[in-house]
Amino acid sequence: MCGIVAAAAGSNIVPILVEGLKKLEYRGYDSAGLAVTGAAQIERVRSVGRVAELEAAAAGTASPTGIAHTRWATHGVPSERNAHPHISGSIAVVHNGIIENYESLREELSAQGYVFTSDTDTETIAHLVEALLKDEPDLFRAVQRACRRLVGAYGIAVIDQRQPGKVVVAREGSPLLLGLGADGNYAASDASALLQVTRNMVYLENGDIAELTVSGVRIERLDGTPVERPVHVSQLSAAAVELGNFRHYMQKEIFEQPEALANTLEIVGGSRSIQPGIFGAEAGSLLQDVDHILILACGTSAHSGMTARYWLEAVAGVPCTVEIASEYRYRCSVANPRQLIVAISQSGETADTLAALRHAKSLGQLKTLAICNVPESAIVRESALRFITRAGPEIGVASTKAFTTQLAALFLLTLVVAKVRGRLDAAQESAYIDQLRHLPVAVNKVLTLESEIEGWARRFADKQHALFLGRGRHYPIALEGALKLKEISYIHAEAYPAGELKHGPLALVDASMPVISVAPNDELLEKLKSNLQEVRARGGELYVFADADSEIPASEGVHMLRLPEHYGLLSPILHVIPLQLLSYHAALVKGTDVDKPRNLAKSVTVE
Ligand code: G6P
């Protein structure tokens, strides 16, 4: 979603702000802006579109103190007028999140004579701080007082032309961290923006407010109590966020999957057995009397949960439900303190998933587990147990390597729960571990199919609609394939369990509707083959992803691609990869912005 970078340093920080925004651009990108303290007044540059345009527009701007922002519109259309920073008098503000009481604040401030020039909720913060500065000349104190009036979620950064050399930041709900550098101090909504200047990061807690100057930082709570927060040395690799030889981050991330899986599974080490402790020290006791698993997630993460449900019920024998987080959080549900709540999230900051986790806990369900790619994220911090996928930073909005590493983590969970319930003997456990260890190699082999998949993508990039079919544990993979295609190529795609075809979607099938089928050689293959014949009988063109040993012959209107290995229960992890490649290449043919698809954001930190 939106991104913030701020700096108070000893020399010109504009290039640092711009470089930081480039690293955050993937989170939100319909407009961008920066403001610095200038010779006589605040200097502000804003532009609609990419950070590169802002960079060109800011070429003549220089200052040691400033704030910057990339915006993903919530209140008000994407436009220069609505782009951050917002200014009131001598101060400028950037903001992530949503201020829920902005309408009443806006009325109050309008009555005091403040004129609003944008449609944003953020502008109320700028005027509010400006108004408070009349009684309280210290910027830090004025922002502190302003924050006490705000209802909602925010991460903000503020500068004042009359108090140069100082940036004040605050957070409630939206991520914000400080970077302690040699030549100054910095703040950002994501560590990747600050790796260019420092690895020493201080994560702010909700309700923290901090002042940065060239020589130091100080942090207080909103009530004025001083606090110290620990300094973390970030382990993020700067190279992990570089594009390297790839054309797009999505392509890079698809090809990083063998390594991401290997890193994620490293926790198993050379062992022949898996211990509950990989989910946290208390996992053994906490999982002991679990009688149900409720998985909460959004988007692609929800699809990994749906896949895991097949594993958890079949292997661990534990009933499992998967619910979209935004539904669960507002539904009257029956609480069960013995159920394990699993929140799955790449970012660990998705507002709906976090709210669903909190809601589950508020109902007395305290057995919680986060499966997440960001160790310091809110969802991890607020869960009793955790498993950190080691996919590395995922920049492409369409999730790929986070998904397959989530699946690996969820399979480990399945084995642990099965073990705790006495449903896994040593021989089975050892066989599953072997399969997991071989996964990176198996994924590598699937990636060699890229050029054939590219050929397929060219054939249907001009289509308006596509239908994805799968059965059993590959039905969620069909859903994920359809989501990927929609997200980045804008082709309307739907996924159905193949058995449901005749109950509606078959009416849509004709020669102009490509039907993509996930067809591994599993116990449902024969059933699936009948469904595929139903499609052929209506003239539908079939694109089938089978296994080396699936007995489906290619014929007229039936295009076949065979994955090199048959992978049993873990086959969803392999079968999603050609679907990722298919949507990537369809998007390339269509010329869409693959890494930053229109209207979407990487990390959705607002409702
Ligand atoms: C956004 C992203 C998706 C992602 C979803 C959930 O919609 O565009 O790729 O799957 O959020 O994100 P999370 O970080 O919670 O996995």
Side-chain angles (χ1 to χ4, degrees), residues 217-237:
V217 302
R218 71 172 163 131
I219 309 173
E220 283 187 8
R221 304 290 296 156
L222 281 191
D223 65 6
T225 318
V227 277
E228 296 279 336
R229 300 283 175 221
V231 179
H232 294 269
V233 179
S234 174
Q235 301 302 322
L236 263 184
S237 132

Side-chain angles (χ1 to χ4, degrees), residues 178-199:
L178 310 182
L180 312 181
D183 182 42
N185 292 298
Y186 307 86
S189 49
D190 190 305
S192 60
L194 299 184
L195 286 177
Q196 53 168 329
V197 280
T198 184
R199 289 194 165 273

Side-chain angles (χ1 to χ4, degrees), residues 12 110-111 201 235 241 271 291 312 374 390 408 493 496 543 570:
N12 178 23
S110 299
M201 310 289 178
Q235 301 302 322
V241 288
S271 165
D291 65 354
L312 284 161
V374 181
R390 291 173 59 194
Y496 270 86
Y543 294 84
L570 286 162

Side-chain angles (χ1 to χ4, degrees), residues 297-302 344-351 353-354 371-372 374 379 394 396-400 402 406 480 483-484 487 597 600-604:
C298 304
T300 289
S301 296
I344 309 176
S345 174
Q346 186 284 127
S347 60
E349 302 288 349
T350 298
T353 309
L354 181 58
I371 294 188
C372 192
V374 181
I379 288 175
E394 193 180 62
V397 164
S399 183
T400 52
Q406 284 167 356
E480 177 59 11
L483 177 63
K484 289 280 90 73
E487 280 179 313
L600 300 181
K602 180 68 184 160
S603 177
V604 183

Side-chain angles (χ1 to χ4, degrees), residues 81-247:
R81 194 170 83 81
N82 286 332
H84 301 209
H86 290 283
I87 289 184
S88 182
S90 65
I91 69 129
V93 175
V94 292
H95 161 228
N96 284 354
I98 287 181
I99 302 303
E100 286 171 21
N101 60 337
Y102 87 103
E103 277 165 333
S104 60
L105 287 172
R106 193 176 168 123
E107 267 174 41
E108 181 185 320
L109 290 158
S110 299
Q112 291 175 30
Y114 285 99
V115 177
F116 284 78
T117 58
S118 77
D119 308 317
T120 65
D121 50 346
T122 305
E123 198 179 353
T124 54
I125 307 176
H127 292 316
L128 184 60
V129 174
E130 214 283 332
L132 291 166
L133 272 173
K134 294 195 171 114
D135 298 334
E136 172 51 80
D138 178 49
L139 181 65
F140 184 79
R141 294 276 165 247
V143 174
Q144 201 167 36
R145 284 176 62 183
C147 288
R148 290 190 209 128
R149 303 270 335 262
L150 302 178
V151 178
Y154 56 81
I156 58 172
V158 190
I159 51 171
D160 183 356
Q161 174 67 25
R162 289 172 299 185
Q163 302 176 55
K166 195 189 274 188
V167 178
V168 177
V169 301
R171 82 161 275 196
E172 177 63 50
S174 294
L176 205 62
L177 55 99
L178 310 182
L180 312 181
D183 182 42
N185 292 298
Y186 307 86
S189 49
D190 190 305
S192 60
L194 299 184
L195 286 177
Q196 53 168 329
V197 280
T198 184
R199 289 194 165 273
N200 297 329
M201 310 289 178
V202 174
Y203 289 87
L204 295 182
E205 298 282 335
N206 284 336
D208 281 355
I209 168 165
E211 182 182 87
L212 329 177
T213 61
V214 63
S215 54
V217 302
R218 71 172 163 131
I219 309 173
E220 283 187 8
R221 304 290 296 156
L222 281 191
D223 65 6
T225 318
V227 277
E228 296 279 336
R229 300 283 175 221
V231 179
H232 294 269
V233 179
S234 174
Q235 301 302 322
L236 263 184
S237 132
V241 288
E242 301 294 348
L243 195 49
N245 292 329
F246 292 94
R247 284 178 73 177

